[in-house]
Structure formats: structure tokens, C-alpha cells
Amino acid sequence: MVTVTPLDLLGQDERGANYIWSSDRTGEFMMCFRKAGSSSGQHYHEGKRAYKNPEILFLVSGQAALHWCPLGEKEIRVTHISAPAKVTVPVNIWHQLVAVTDCALIEMNSVEDVQQDSVRIWREEFEKM
């Protein structure tokens, strides 16, 4: 299932806050900025690319709603996310991220990973399956 994990607060003072996380992933990643009300995704991953098995992203600012459903099921679930948080989406789970506020996220994968391991199914089509 999809998991959302708040990031660990390292420290905070009058300048702001610092958070930490660990990752064994290296290489090219994507920084995405989304405007409130916009949508990303409407797809699932088959696990052809290591960095999409699972898909990991970090919501670094703002709020989003992740709509998701395992393939073969009918009920689309909604998980609300507030930054800063790590989101893990296993393979074969259809998902769509909707920005509740303007937000920024880091996808721990490359553009090539997205192109080679994303099966697009628009929400309207998914709901008819």
C-alpha cells in the first residue's frame, strides 16, 4: 500500500527548520513545482525501472492529495499529505497527485525512468475498469 512518512526534524530556530532523510538512490532526479488544483500522474508503474519499484517522492512544500488504487480493485482511496513528507508508491498501484496548495516535490527518479515505466490510464478510464 501507499505510505506517507513525515520527515525527521533535525533542528529549528528563528531561521526556519532542517529535516533529514536517507536514500540509497543516486543519479538524476526531478524537482517538480505544482500549482494549486493541478494534477499529475494518472498512471501506474510495472517495476521495469529500479527507481520506480517503488516510486519515492518527497513533498517539500505545500499540501497534496494522493488518489490511489491497487490494480484489480475499484475503490480509489485518498491520502492527504502535508510537507515535509516522504511518499512511497509500490508498483501496480494507479495514482494521481492533486496539489491542494502550490507545492514542490522531488521525485527520486529520472525522466527516463518515467518514460520507460509509466502506464497512463486517465482517471475517467480507470473508474470504468
Side-chain angles (χ1 to χ4, degrees):
M1 295 298 160
V2 170
T3 59
V4 176
T5 309
L7 297 184
D8 293 326
L9 178 64
L10 179 63
Q12 185 173 7
D13 61 23
E14 68 280 352
R15 299 171 295 166
N18 296 318
Y19 293 85
I20 59 170
W21 73 83
S22 297
S23 177
D24 59 356
R25 296 183 176 188
T26 61
E28 183 179 282
F29 304 117
M30 296 171 48
M31 177 73 139
C32 307
F33 296 90
R34 297 291 177 261
K35 295 183 180 194
S38 68
S39 167
S40 299
Q42 300 189 55
H43 61 240
Y44 67 93
H45 308 289
E46 297 176 308
K48 295 176 184 174
R49 303 288 293 194
Y51 286 1
K52 286 295 187 181
N53 187 14
E55 178 173 24
I56 296 175
L57 61 90
F58 290 92
L59 185 66
V60 295
S61 70
Q63 296 179 347
L66 186 69
H67 300 244
W68 60 277
C69 181
L71 297 183
E73 294 185 18
K74 295 286 185 192
E75 179 187 350
I76 295 177
R77 300 161 179 100
V78 180
T79 300
H80 295 277
I81 309 161
S82 293
K86 175 184 178 182
V87 180
T88 304
V89 182
V91 296
N92 296 318
I93 293 185
W94 177 91
H95 53 284
Q96 172 186 20
L97 186 125
V98 177
V100 174
T101 65
D102 288 356
C103 60
L105 55 110
I106 298 171
E107 284 196 30
M108 300 296 289
N109 53 255
S110 67
V111 172
E112 185 177 347
D113 292 326
V114 172
Q115 292 169 339
Q116 294 186 11
D117 192 6
S118 293
V119 179
R120 170 101 41 215
I121 302 176
W122 299 111
R123 184 174 186 142
E124 296 79 20
E125 295 171 25
F126 186 80
E127 290 173 335
K128 293 177 188 176
M129 294 175 68

